[in-house]
Amino acid sequence: MTKTTHLRRLGIVALAGLAGACLNAAAPRAAEPDKAEIDALRKSLSRYEDYKVAIRELYLSTVGCVFYSGEKVEGAMDYPKGAMGIHFVNVTTVGPTADPTRPNVLIYEPVGGELRLVGAEWLVPLTPDTKEPPKLFGQTFMGPMEGHYPLIPKEFHHYDLHAWLFKDNPLGMFSPTNPDVKCDNYAFPMPEQPTKMVPGPM
């Protein structure tokens, strides 16, 4: 092997190593915007830890603490065993586009006679103009589905996305249910059947 060939190969190896290092360095940065967005959202929603603030801003309680048995029903959404908690819904914010900074629903867990903010939810109605499921934070919304009866009319066909921002979820931040959220000893527990899916762009 000539000296020139040897140097050329060393140069190629060095460039490959540099490129790999750059890619590895870029990987964490690529994940940062979502984390930063989630952290900013968590900070902006922290004022709703006092549910009275949520009510003043038109987030109104649906009262029932919703939970699922984990039963699988053909033609219905797949909800792992766990709870969705108590929903405080602001119907004035529901529209064709999800605002990442303003969820339509705040989720509370009853704890020792108090309400603890544990998550948020976005709702997007299914309309004739819907071409594809909405997305936020790199996540595709679940659905389309009927409304969560009896708290929401079945006719409200929609997509939704949950985010457990204030309580860890062993199923993942964006799972629809959280097995660590409990409705025990709450005056208005509400077991629900899995919500029926409806036709639409999946």
Side-chain angles (χ1 to χ4, degrees):
M1 181 186 299
T2 66
K3 184 176 180 181
T4 302
T5 302
H6 180 66
L7 290 174
R8 185 180 295 118
R9 288 187 177 179
L10 285 177
I12 291 171
V13 170
L15 286 173
L18 181 60
C22 290
L23 286 173
N24 289 335
R29 286 199 295 271
E32 284 174 7
D34 275 355
K35 182 181 184 306
E37 196 173 14
I38 290 293
D39 288 344
L41 175 63
R42 188 180 285 117
K43 184 177 180 180
S44 72
L45 296 182
S46 62
R47 68 185 186 277
Y48 296 128
E49 290 177 356
D50 181 348
Y51 72 90
K52 296 183 290 296
V53 174
I55 291 172
R56 287 197 295 269
E57 296 188 23
L58 300 182
Y59 285 94
L60 304 181
S61 174
T62 57
V63 180
C65 186
V66 175
F67 64 95
Y68 292 86
S69 67
E71 175 188 7
K72 295 184 184 297
V73 177
E74 186 176 354
M77 302 298 297
D78 184 8
Y79 294 139
K81 184 177 181 180
M84 287 186 182
I86 303 167
H87 295 63
F88 279 56
V89 183
N90 187 335
V91 296
T92 69
T93 65
V94 178
T97 304
D99 182 345
T101 67
R102 195 173 190 197
N104 316 113
V105 182
L106 300 172
I107 301 172
Y108 292 84
E109 178 184 19
V111 179
E114 298 293 331
L115 293 179
R116 180 179 298 166
L117 180 65
V118 291
E121 181 182 0
W122 288 260
L123 304 170
V124 174
L126 174 67
T127 72
D129 296 327
T130 303
K131 305 300 184 201
E132 60 183 5
K135 293 183 179 181
L136 278 183
F137 315 117
Q139 305 294 314
T140 300
F141 280 46
M142 296 182 67
M145 70 192 85
E146 292 182 344
H148 298 270
Y149 186 82
L151 296 180
I152 299 175
K154 291 182 180 180
E155 293 75 19
F156 179 60
H157 295 178
H158 69 285
Y159 297 88
D160 65 33
L161 179 70
H162 295 76
W164 301 95
L165 299 163
F166 298 94
K167 183 162 188 168
D168 289 342
N169 186 347
L171 301 178
M173 175 178 284
F174 298 101
S175 170
T177 55
N178 188 334
D180 288 348
V181 170
K182 306 299 181 184
C183 296
D184 302 343
N185 303 317
Y186 177 63
F188 304 99
M190 186 160 288
E192 284 195 1
Q193 293 295 310
T195 310
K196 184 179 178 182
M197 299 180 70
V198 298
M202 306 302 285

